[in-house]
Amino acid sequence: MTGSSQDAQPKPARLAALLIDASMEAVSTAGGHAGGVYLRSSTPGLLRLAVLAGLPGPLFRPWWRLHADRPFPVADAHRLGVQVVLPNATETMRRYPQFAAGLPFQFGSLYVPVVAGSDLYGVLTVLRPSVQDAAEVLPECDRLARLGQDLGAALRNLDDEAAPVAWDDEPLCVRPPAPRPPLARIGRFVWTPETGLVTGDEGLHTLLGVPPTEFTGAVEAFADAVAPSEANRILLALRDTAVGRPPTLPLYLRTTDGELRLMDLWSPYEATGWHPNDPAAPAAPPTTPPGPGPVRGIVLDPGLHATADAAADLLPDGVFCLDREGLIVYANPRAAQLLRRPPTELLGRALWDAVPWLGRPDVEDHLRGALLSPDPVHFHVERPAANAAEPVSLPSEGDWLALAVHPGPDRLTCTVRPASRVADTAPAETPADGLATPAPVYRPIVLAIALTEAVTARQVSAVVMRELLPAFGGRRLAIYLLQDRHLWLAWESGFPPGFLAPFEGVGLDERLPGVETLTTGRPLFFDSMQQLAAAYPGIQLDASEGARAFLPLIASGRSVGSCILGFDRARSFSGEERTVLTALAGLIAHAMEKAQRYENEAALARGLQQALLPRRLSSHPQVETAGRYLPGTQGMDVGGDWYDVVESGDGIALVIGDVQGHGVQAAATMGQLRTAVRAFALSDRPPDEVMSGTNHLLMDLDPGLFASCCYIRLDPATGVALAARAGHLPPLLRQADGRTHALDLAGGVVLGVDGRARYPVTELRMEPGAILALYTDGLVEKPGDDIDDGISALRVALARAGAPAVRPGGRALAGVADRLTTTARHAVDRPDDIALLLATRRTAR
């Protein structure tokens, strides 16, 4: 691709191409089997995984986001601007125990900052085989450092003040270059019976090892070159195909060296859609060819993989293979039978999509181990009961399968067999009561990592439901939180409708297991409902016969609540399981306590923001205005967007702004800026002085944040407007006849960056019936899309929204504002807050 064509690409596409190329080169340069790029996020202090090469993205979801102050190698490389070299697992555990606990596998890793001068963009990382000493990988580190500097320079060229380089989307998962060229080779040919000659492409001559200058074209010579010992069989197949009687295809042929070759042929009749062996075909083709026609075909040398796969098809055990992105590239018939999926639903799909019941945290953990370390892993997994609708069922076989995963340079080879047939693998864990629990105990650190991503009580509960229950075979979950010496239900799943209602708001003096586990601080385990009923006579029970675990949620000695785990069947809890569940309860309690603090802060921020936003907009007889504000649905849910309408002399000032970041500080800074702008506007200062004065105020406050702003002073009598812009998006103007365009306003840098910044003023005119639209980036920006496309979409929506009533007293502008924010208002995932301000001139009375 030429430089000019790259420059013509949208910025997100150029950014993705740069990051993918750098990741691929990093893996190759450092001799790794996987790598990627972490990039700074638009959220201060947060790094996001932008590209992951050579590993399945879903298996590494807990590491998609990292805070720059966390004790992780990526964070250190970014925050300190230094290389981090971890040659092996021992060194990783010594220097970064929390990171090593989450990925306790035998691999080494390298991390170099992506820099350009004083600008830190992110970190380039490579995962590679372990070595004894860091000195062994210093040459690779030097090459990787140069690559990081080159990437930083390229990112600086993309950087600009209005849209700095950042990554806020999910990572791009890509496949690194193959370690060796593909083994399969293919050649195409055409045989013309009338002349007896064969013509082939370059691939055919390469496959047969016969240069075009030495190839006579005779069909006999061709057959002899493909498979000398089976030349007569090839000639017969060609003749039969030419008259519409092809043999069973493809032909499996052997060379003199015993290597496998495949040949497939196409009859001249196939162009008519008729075939003599088709029972549904008419007695004769629609147009009978005048004799034998040309035969097209291919010769395929599949290489060693085909021979191995053909042999694996005959094995009594299930065998399937995954590439390093988790896609199933091979499955023998026995594997399809044991996994209860036909081969067509396995091949080419991710394992956890093709076989959803393998998408469990403990299975994912084993797959991570096989992808990151050289040693095979062995584990057991429970297979759910066969569904009558499934194409394959094995009622005679057990509920457990034994799996072994063997790592390879470019794919994983997995064997699967019924657990009852396993005689040569390590025995399953056996608790004191003798009941086997083949599933490995889930590592608490994995849940801990997932909990770091949860910031609300509902998110914490959802993580517990997703990560904890499957590891122990649980089916029901209830989490109660303590408030005013009463327990209130925060989350429930799996219980019969209404069953938990009588327990809502119970006091701490009630004799209930969920209360007593909290007041005593001791977990309670019941192997069956009969045990529970015997310990608590008269307690309300559901219809299940399963076990129950009641866990106290206590964080730093403070009672937070209690957690109830329910199981469909009776079971016992081993000593190790009881210890792990108790430890997990502590993690859940700390996460819940953090969530409560977060929600209290969010409530404070929302209250502060509501207090700072205008309750009503200043009015004027000749101007109608309408404003809308929508908080984001991620994180703190509050930000620094604001709008305002202020009386300014004999006119009005239209204001919109956006403070960087979210939370209490962003909302407080927004309030200070709004107050400053109002004060300047009420004194009827020119727009450039309003912007400069507000800029100086923000510099003096020094909150560590910057803000964009657009200020327009409108004379309602004449329609003349004077506008100044500080790094904000261009307003839109819809004329009364429906023509809509973005206003090309001169502007300065965002507020709070340069105390000497100047903000030029642009004059424009609004005719009666025209609509002026001011907005913040949350309305037009989507992750992965160019913001210019979002502005264009808003412009089209405004043009189609219809003209408001322009007579005195008309209030149709509110409907236009609602239509422009409809899609955003109903979006479940809204990463940023949104502000919109519309204004239109009415006709004079």
Side-chain angles (χ1 to χ4, degrees):
M1 182 179 294
T2 64
S4 59
S5 62
Q6 286 178 335
D7 294 341
Q9 289 183 320
K11 180 176 175 179
R14 285 182 284 155
L15 175 60
L18 280 174
L19 299 178
I20 290 173
D21 289 347
S23 300
M24 296 291 200
E25 189 172 350
V27 173
S28 175
T29 294
H33 50 64
V37 180
Y38 278 89
L39 214 59
R40 65 190 184 187
S41 166
S42 59
T43 302
L46 185 67
L47 297 172
R48 284 186 177 269
L49 182 61
V51 174
L52 180 63
L55 292 172
L59 290 187
F60 293 84
R61 184 181 296 272
W63 295 271
W64 283 7
R65 300 193 305 170
L66 290 175
H67 289 278
D69 58 354
R70 295 290 302 282
F72 279 72
V74 170
D76 278 0
H78 178 75
R79 186 180 65 256
L80 304 176
V82 299
Q83 297 181 24
V84 177
V85 181
L86 301 175
N88 49 53
T90 302
E91 182 70 7
T92 304
M93 177 62 76
R94 185 183 69 81
R95 296 176 57 185
Y96 298 96
Q98 187 175 350
F99 172 64
L103 293 171
F105 312 116
Q106 294 297 323
F107 68 96
S109 52
L110 310 175
Y111 309 84
V112 300
V114 177
V115 297
S118 60
D119 295 327
L120 280 172
Y121 290 97
V123 176
L124 196 60
T125 178
V126 172
L127 308 183
R128 63 182 318 282
S130 296
V131 294
Q132 287 296 112
D133 190 82
E136 299 181 47
V137 292
L138 289 182
E140 289 85 349
C141 288
D142 291 341
R143 292 194 294 268
L144 203 61
R146 289 193 293 270
L147 185 58
Q149 293 172 353
D150 292 343
L151 177 58
L155 294 180
R156 171 177 276 184
N157 291 333
L158 286 182
D159 220 347
D160 59 73
E161 293 178 353
V165 168
W167 192 270
D168 294 297
D169 210 345
E170 294 185 356
L172 303 172
C173 298
V174 296
R175 192 184 308 274
R180 56 179 179 272
L183 296 175
R185 295 179 296 166
I186 190 171
R188 294 172 174 82
F189 68 90
V190 177
W191 174 57
T192 306
E194 293 180 356
T195 63
L197 295 179
V198 173
T199 57
D201 63 2
E202 183 178 351
L204 180 72
H205 295 293
T206 301
L207 186 152
L208 299 181
V210 180
T213 55
E214 300 179 11
F215 185 63
T216 65
V219 67
E220 293 81 4
F222 163 75
D224 191 61
V226 172
S229 61
E230 303 192 68
N232 290 334
R233 183 174 166 221
I234 294 173
L235 295 173
L236 179 61
L238 289 170
R239 287 192 288 267
D240 286 347
T241 303
V243 296
R245 295 193 304 270
T248 301
L249 297 172
L251 297 178
Y252 288 81
L253 308 168
R254 293 288 176 182
T255 67
T256 52
D257 298 330
E259 296 181 359
L260 176 66
R261 278 183 179 165
L262 305 179
M263 178 181 287
D264 208 349
L265 305 171
W266 286 269
S267 163
Y269 290 88
E270 294 185 27
T272 69
W274 177 87
H275 195 282
N277 295 332
D278 183 357
T287 302
T288 305
V295 175
R296 294 176 295 110
I298 62 170
V299 179
L300 176 68
D301 180 0
L304 298 177
H305 283 320
T307 304
D309 291 349
D313 283 346
L314 306 176
L315 293 176
D317 293 327
V319 178
F320 62 95
C321 298
L322 310 174
D323 68 8
R324 296 197 66 84
E325 288 191 315
L327 299 182
I328 302 174
V329 296
Y330 167 75
N332 73 351
R334 181 57 170 162
Q337 186 184 40
L338 289 171
L339 298 177
R340 295 197 178 113
R341 289 292 182 273
T344 53
E345 295 184 11
L346 293 175
L347 297 179
R349 299 182 64 191
L351 177 63
W352 39 90
D353 292 335
V355 191
W357 48 270
L358 285 179
R360 304 166 26 145
D362 53 338
V363 174
E364 291 179 353
D365 199 40
H366 288 303
L367 291 176
R368 281 192 287 266
L371 286 162
L372 296 178
S373 60
D375 301 321
V377 296
H378 302 268
F379 59 98
H380 293 71
V381 65
E382 184 178 12
R383 182 179 55 191
N387 189 328
E390 290 177 339
V392 180
S393 62
L394 299 173
S396 62
E397 308 236 9
D399 291 334
W400 292 91
L401 298 176
L403 281 83
V405 185
H406 300 266
D410 53 1
R411 65 178 184 174
L412 306 179
T413 301
C414 312
T415 62
V416 56
R417 63 182 72 174
S420 58
R421 290 178 54 194
V422 177
D424 54 350
T425 59
E429 294 180 62
T430 304
D433 55 18
L435 295 177
T437 56
V441 174
Y442 186 64
R443 267 197 299 270
I445 191 63
V446 179
L447 178 64
I449 292 172
L451 286 174
T452 61
E453 304 293 324
V455 293
T456 68
R458 289 190 62 83
Q459 290 173 346
V460 171
S461 302
V463 167
V464 175
M465 186 71 194
R466 184 181 67 247
E467 302 287 351
L468 175 62
L469 280 192
F472 290 89
R475 296 292 184 269
R476 292 169 171 81
L477 172 68
I479 294 180
Y480 286 86
L481 297 181
L482 180 64
Q483 184 177 358
D484 298 329
R485 294 188 58 80
H486 289 76
L487 288 174
W488 301 92
L489 186 64
W491 178 279
E492 67 165 309
S493 179
F495 287 93
F499 173 75
L500 296 177
F503 305 103
E504 179 74 351
V506 297
L508 295 186
D509 55 350
E510 297 282 346
R511 189 175 184 274
L512 293 169
V515 173
E516 292 193 358
T517 189
L518 180 61
T519 55
T520 64
R522 295 193 305 270
L524 302 174
F525 298 94
F526 300 95
D527 295 351
S528 66
M529 297 298 278
Q530 289 81 359
Q531 280 191 5
L532 178 59
Y536 293 88
I539 189 174
Q540 181 178 340
L541 304 175
D542 60 33
S544 170
E545 295 297 323
R548 291 289 185 271
F550 296 83
L551 308 174
L553 301 182
I554 300 175
S556 303
R558 177 179 172 270
S559 298
V560 177
S562 58
C563 176
I564 305 171
L565 305 181
F567 302 82
D568 286 341
R569 293 178 293 182
R571 59 158 295 173
S572 59
F573 298 88
S574 69
E576 186 175 5
E577 284 181 313
R578 292 171 185 245
T579 301
V580 171
L581 284 171
T582 304
L584 294 177
L587 293 176
I588 297 168
H590 280 283
M592 278 295 183
E593 186 181 45
K594 181 187 70 174
Q596 288 177 319
R597 290 197 305 267
Y598 174 89
E599 289 172 347
N600 290 337
E601 182 182 356
L604 172 63
R606 282 191 291 268
L608 175 63
Q609 186 180 49
Q610 290 300 320
L612 294 175
L613 285 172
R615 293 182 179 274
R616 64 179 183 84
L617 300 177
S618 298
S619 60
H620 190 283
Q622 290 180 260
V623 179
E624 178 188 351
T625 58
R628 294 292 183 269
Y629 174 79
L630 301 175
T633 58
Q634 296 179 359
M636 188 64 73
D637 291 348
V638 292
D641 290 18
W642 91 93
Y643 60 86
D644 208 350
V645 179
V646 189
E647 295 180 6
S648 182
D650 56 357
I652 62 170
L654 307 171
V655 188
I656 197 159
D658 182 2
V659 177
Q660 168 209 15
H662 297 81
V664 173
Q665 186 179 14
T669 303
M670 176 269 286
Q672 292 170 311
L673 294 184
R674 176 175 175 260
T675 301
V677 173
R678 286 186 66 87
F680 288 129
L682 288 170
S683 62
D684 200 15
R685 302 276 289 276
D688 56 333
E689 293 186 18
V690 174
M691 288 290 95
S692 296
T694 308
N695 181 46
H696 287 136
L697 172 67
L698 187 57
M699 296 288 291
D700 291 341
L701 292 173
D702 192 22
L705 301 175
F706 59 82
S708 66
C709 186
C710 184
Y711 181 94
I712 300 179
R713 198 248 188 224
L714 173 65
D715 183 345
T718 64
V720 174
L722 301 176
R725 189 163 63 101
H728 203 80
L729 298 173
L732 302 178
L733 182 63
R734 182 190 190 277
Q735 304 290 357
D737 59 6
R739 293 179 294 114
T740 307
H741 63 279
L743 296 176
D744 184 16
L745 302 183
V749 299
V750 292
L751 306 174
V753 173
D754 182 2
R756 297 170 299 176
R758 296 291 179 264
Y759 300 94
V761 176
T762 303
E763 180 177 324
L764 57 115
R765 182 177 297 274
M766 282 185 63
E767 300 297 334
I771 302 175
L772 183 65
L774 289 79
Y775 53 93
T776 57
D777 55 2
L779 186 60
V780 294
E781 190 171 30
K782 295 180 180 179
D785 293 345
D786 195 294
I787 195 170
D788 290 337
D789 295 336
I791 295 174
S792 297
L794 180 62
R795 179 183 58 78
V796 171
L798 179 60
R800 295 175 177 174
V806 295
R807 61 184 182 277
R811 302 298 300 169
L813 200 60
V816 177
D818 288 337
R819 287 193 289 276
L820 294 181
T821 56
T822 296
T823 300
R825 191 165 52 249
H826 293 93
V828 176
D829 185 9
R830 192 167 57 241
D832 201 0
D833 47 344
I834 292 170
L836 172 68
L837 177 62
L838 302 180
T840 185
R841 285 183 65 210
R842 298 189 180 108
T843 54
R845 291 181 180 270

